[in-house]
Amino acid sequence: MTQCVYFFGGGKADGNKDMKDVLGGKGAGLAEMTNAGLPVPPGFTISTAACNLFQQRGALTPEIEAESDRALARLESLMGKTLGAPANPLLVSVRSGAKFSMPGMMDTILNLGLNDASVLGLKSRTRNGRFAKDSYRRFIQMYGNVVLGIDKDAFEHELSAVKKRARAKADVDLGEAQLDEVILRFKAVVKKQTGGPFPQGPREQLRGARDAVFKSWMNPRAVTYRKLNDIPHDLGTAVNVQSMVFGNMGETSATGVGFTRNPSTGAKEFYGEFLQNAQGEDVVAGTRTPHPIADLAKVMPAAYKQLREITTRLERHYKDVQDFEFTIQDNKLYMLQTRNGKRTGLAAVHIAVDMVQEGILTPREALMKVEPQALDQLLHPIFDPSARAKAEVAAKGLPASPGAATGAVVFTADDAVAWTAKGKRVVLVRMETVPDDIHGMSVAQGILTATGGMTSHAAVVGRQMGKPSVVGCGSLQIDLKARRLHVGKSVLAEGDPISIDGATGDVILKELPTSPSEVLQVVAGKLKPQRSPLYQKFEKLLGWADEARRLGVRANADIPRDARIAFAFGARGIGLCRTEHMFFAEDRLRHVVAMILAAARGQRGLDLRSRLRARLQEAKGHQAAELRRELLKVEKEHGEAIAAYTGALKKLLPMQRADFAGLFREMRGTPVTIRTLDPPLHEFLPKREELMVEIATLKAKGASRNARTIAAREKLLRAVEELHEFNPMLGHRGCRLGITYPEITRMQARAIFEAALQVSKKGTPVKPEVMIPLVGHVEELRRQKRIVLEVAAEVLGKGGSGVEFTVGTMIEVPRGALTADEIAREADFFSFGTNDLTQMGFGLSRDDAGKFLGYYQEHGILDKDPFVSLDAGGVGQLVEIGVKKGRAAKPGLKIGVCGEHGGDPASIHFFHGAGLDYVSCSPYRVPIARLAAAQAQLEKPSGD
Ligand code: PEP
Ligand code: MG
């Protein structure tokens, strides 16, 4: 039979610190401390397996009951007392303790073993009647609530009544006789509510308490906590039965909690609080104000000194900050718990680096102590923690881009710009954002949308800009016309204050104080690195990560400003420049629209003309005359469109060239991957409904007076209608655009090579990588590549003028992954577009799935949003197939990823395992990716 009960006491324990799965965190800590010879009250732990069995059967097996009885007998003999015996009772605590700490989620019972007889035994042994009676009334109260299910208020009501009659302000003001009355009243409450007397049998009490703790594993708040923290439901909790020590035996006793270092700042200071003459729950309950732990040195110097020695030892032993609980009974110190302390991102960085400097950790061990995601907290403004804790959360959306934003509500991008110009801080609230909201997004403190998922426009662009964003907040109702925002029962007008927490998705309907990120201030050149110890430690830690990792880290950046930040954060290369984002700038959009309006006829005209010209070269006499006539006809029919189309492209060329030159300069010779145009063209045009309203309004105001504008708007409307697609994400986009409108690819390739030449001539090395999107068939890549190579030869000449470039493709269509061998023969590199690969692999619309993905997660269909964390079992297979087939056809093929998953730690572990060469993510995630890549390599080393 497998052991289910583990004893600790007398300097030796059955378990140890590595048995958290079996003993839970608390049980493993108690065992380890016992083995280390520390003063731990003895007891035993009933395993998590017993809990799981209990959940299935509703009871424990006779074998486990017998094992428990044996452990209790051993405890009684070690302590020289019997549980609940009238003369000299052994009293125990019964506490939960799961593998991962779930603070306050499950139940605890103290002083178990007290009854009408043993309370008198306790009184005579301790010569303290008040203490004995107070312990008994606490036990009835806790047991009554946790085991018998009686509402806490029923007891509080009686306690208050006695206090009132005695004119006592606090519980401690009640004397023994008054506590006797409380006990009588409490027992009456039990009788009334359960129909039976308060259980007097100590073993019956123990069984009841143990089973109640097991049951508390499934109580709603514990279930919710596990869901929120990704803790599996089948782990179960252990139960720790431990002999009681008393912090409430008078002024020479105390109880407290503490940390070996400050968990919010990371400072190396003994941190915590204690209460004299109190029991554990008094410290947490907030009924009395605890004292700072430093004061313990004054009131109980010997115990304080011992506590410091023990906790320092524990920190070295566990190589981590310890979060501990202790009790001092009559000047004697007992340790009740120790565990690795939870900490903020800021503290995590300070502590990891300090511990290396103190010789406690090696740099590699330090890397494993910091959650990559926690680094985010260092890169964004933060809310004042106490104001944040008190603030009421009015709504919750998806936490799309972390950081704290507070400001006045505005409803349009133009308003965001106008209010900001007047010196106001604003939060842009939209149903969803569209590319031409970019100016408003860039000035807003944060972005809040009612629809959209984690790869929606607002989410992607928000992350790229490092702008706090909450998206898909379904409970918002926006009345754009009235400039009103309805959140539940509250209504906000334009200008009203709002705050959003991009790390949690919380929306708060008031202004909260924020402070800027110190690291970001250094990166932006506003603060000297020497003046920021935090920045220095951040850099040190990431320097160690760079030494450890195998994966390269690049950034997704489209403009030089973002590229500069990405480089400063440690990105060595751009993995994705989405060229379309440049098209939305105010000075370009009109040329883009002109290009789109003329594209279809213009491109057809160009194609016809070049075909006729080719034939003309071979033709003679009568045939040549015929071809010339046809050429004239083409000029007449398409000349205007050709001129508009090529004219717009010519206008865009120098703009794009300047953009690319800026990127090359910022990235200082590291690779810059530039993707040819990707989105469906209608995205650059106004919405159909908006145009229709505009035309109708113009007509109403005077059709003849507005004739020219109306004609222009109607032309635009026709184009919008022609471009309409039922399923644009599967429509005319990606390389399909470059194939049907090759002039666009030609212009972009020319801009890339001309920029490369320009920058390299000035002495900065350049490494352009031209990337073709949405390739599902090798022929698509072959044709686009041909155009790119033709332009390269024209611009760079045969010798290449010293500019080395490559042409590769995104793998983001399932067929592309499945035929990666054929595609690899044409490609210099692959970059997985896991946003589209997830969309098409799962058949989930990136823009619409937010409506039901939340339900899927809540109901356990999916653990995580697959647009946030790669679906390793499904979409991951497409990645693995793509890598395997690609490298089989072309050994050593360079492969990266540039979907949003490139910045997600769990996905980075997957990409490391799949053998990718690099990940590319938004600039603000670069530090996270560097650390996650190092952790992946340390956990699962793989060769270069
Ligand atoms: C992708 O699909 O993963 C990708 C990076 O491209 P986009 O998000 O621009 O479609
Ligand atoms: Mg894509």
Side-chain angles (χ1 to χ4, degrees), residues 660-713:
F660 299 146
L663 290 183
F664 291 137
R665 278 193 289 269
E666 293 295 348
M667 295 314 289
R668 309 181 203 179
T670 59
V672 175
T673 307
I674 299 171
R675 179 178 76 181
T676 51
L677 196 63
D678 183 86
L681 293 181
H682 73 82
E683 285 196 8
F684 299 97
L685 302 181
K687 284 206 164 67
R688 179 172 176 264
E689 293 68 26
E690 281 168 16
L691 277 172
M692 288 168 79
V693 171
E694 198 186 338
I695 292 167
T697 318
L698 281 167
K699 282 185 177 165
K701 280 186 184 160
S704 54
R705 191 152 34 97
N706 295 313
R708 276 180 65 168
T709 327
I710 292 172
R713 292 283 152 210

Side-chain angles (χ1 to χ4, degrees), residues 7-24:
F7 194 80
F8 54 89
K12 219 178 135 352
D14 296 343
N16 61 50
K17 74 171 191 320
D18 301 320
M19 293 174 66
K20 281 191 190 157
D21 283 327
V22 181
L23 304 177

Side-chain angles (χ1 to χ4, degrees), residues 234-252:
D234 60 0
L235 292 181
T237 179
V239 171
N240 296 290
V241 178
Q242 192 175 18
S243 47
M244 284 294 300
V245 282
F246 296 96
N248 54 342
M249 274 177 65
E251 293 306 302
T252 52

Side-chain angles (χ1 to χ4, degrees), residues 223-428:
V223 172
T224 309
Y225 184 89
R226 288 199 293 276
K227 268 194 204 152
L228 289 174
N229 290 281
D230 282 337
I231 300 174
H233 296 301
D234 60 0
L235 292 181
T237 179
V239 171
N240 296 290
V241 178
Q242 192 175 18
S243 47
M244 284 294 300
V245 282
F246 296 96
N248 54 342
M249 274 177 65
E251 293 306 302
T252 52
S253 300
T255 188
V257 294
F259 286 82
T260 50
R261 298 179 193 231
N262 186 318
S264 62
T265 65
K268 196 179 177 205
E269 63 194 10
F270 203 49
Y271 179 90
E273 40 197 25
F274 77 102
L275 269 177
Q276 259 170 295
N277 194 13
Q279 235 174 10
E281 79 265 23
D282 298 326
V283 181
V284 244
T287 41
R288 286 166 60 191
T289 310
H291 308 289
I293 205 159
D295 292 354
L296 188 64
K298 290 178 220 147
V299 287
M300 293 176 207
Y304 177 76
K305 186 161 171 270
Q306 195 192 2
L307 182 65
R308 288 228 51 173
E309 279 164 11
I310 287 176
T311 52
T312 308
R313 231 172 95 195
L314 282 171
E315 188 183 88
R316 288 203 161 249
H317 182 72
Y318 281 100
K319 296 183 164 212
D320 210 335
V321 179
Q322 293 303 294
D323 162 359
F324 55 84
E325 286 176 22
F326 64 94
T327 285
I328 298 166
Q329 177 176 318
D330 213 3
N331 279 320
K332 183 165 168 25
L333 173 73
Y334 292 94
M335 299 302 295
L336 299 186
Q337 164 140 318
T338 193
R339 59 184 170 197
N340 295 341
K342 290 198 192 314
R343 66 210 80 169
T344 62
L346 173 83
V349 171
H350 276 295
I351 290 168
V353 176
D354 288 352
M355 282 192 161
V356 173
Q357 275 153 10
E358 291 164 31
I360 298 172
L361 297 174
T362 64
R364 290 183 164 226
E365 286 169 334
L367 286 171
M368 301 306 288
K369 301 281 182 195
V370 182
E371 282 266 353
Q373 207 67 55
L375 293 181
D376 239 350
Q377 297 168 22
L378 275 66
L379 307 182
H380 299 281
I382 51 168
F383 286 123
D384 171 76
S386 64
R388 173 73 176 83
K390 281 185 229 137
E392 190 188 330
V393 176
K396 219 171 165 59
L398 297 171
S401 176
T406 196
V409 171
V410 290
F411 295 98
T412 69
D414 289 342
D415 289 340
V417 172
W419 280 67
T420 311
K422 282 189 244 151
K424 290 260 191 277
R425 295 193 302 177
V426 298
V427 172
L428 177 60

Side-chain angles (χ1 to χ4, degrees), residues 18-185:
D18 301 320
M19 293 174 66
K20 281 191 190 157
D21 283 327
V22 181
L23 304 177
K26 185 176 285 168
L30 289 169
E32 189 76 2
M33 287 198 290
T34 304
N35 284 331
L38 300 184
V40 174
F44 55 91
T45 305
I46 309 174
S47 71
T48 54
C51 175
N52 285 336
L53 201 88
F54 182 88
Q55 306 299 345
Q56 286 157 19
R57 301 167 36 121
L60 293 182
T61 60
E63 288 82 6
I64 302 178
E65 294 284 7
E67 230 188 313
S68 253
D69 288 346
R70 283 197 296 278
L72 178 62
R74 196 169 152 195
L75 180 62
E76 288 175 333
S77 112
L78 183 71
M79 301 298 291
K81 299 177 185 181
T82 303
L83 183 69
N88 183 17
L90 169 68
L91 303 182
V92 295
S93 62
V94 180
R95 296 172 203 255
S96 60
K99 177 175 179 181
F100 301 107
S101 118
M102 296 169 49
M105 294 301 131
M106 291 180 291
D107 293 326
T108 285
I109 290 158
L110 304 177
N111 307 333
L112 188 138
L114 282 175
N115 54 27
D116 294 348
S118 62
V119 70
L120 299 176
L122 184 66
K123 174 179 171 176
S124 69
R125 293 297 295 197
T126 58
R127 291 195 202 92
N128 190 339
R130 192 204 169 273
F131 157 72
K133 304 294 169 63
D134 189 47
S135 301
Y136 191 26
R137 74 94 189 160
R138 284 171 191 262
F139 174 52
I140 302 174
Q141 203 169 348
M142 267 192 196
Y143 196 94
N145 174 246
V146 172
V147 184
L148 307 175
I150 300 168
D151 202 75
K152 278 182 187 157
D153 289 345
F155 295 112
E156 281 303 330
H157 180 76
E158 301 300 332
L159 185 62
S160 301
V162 177
K163 268 172 33 189
K164 198 167 168 203
R165 185 121 56 89
R167 291 172 204 253
K169 272 206 192 112
D171 298 359
V172 282
D173 300 329
L174 294 177
E176 184 181 348
Q178 287 143 350
L179 287 165
D180 274 335
E181 193 193 334
V182 174
I183 291 167
L184 275 179
R185 284 172 175 246

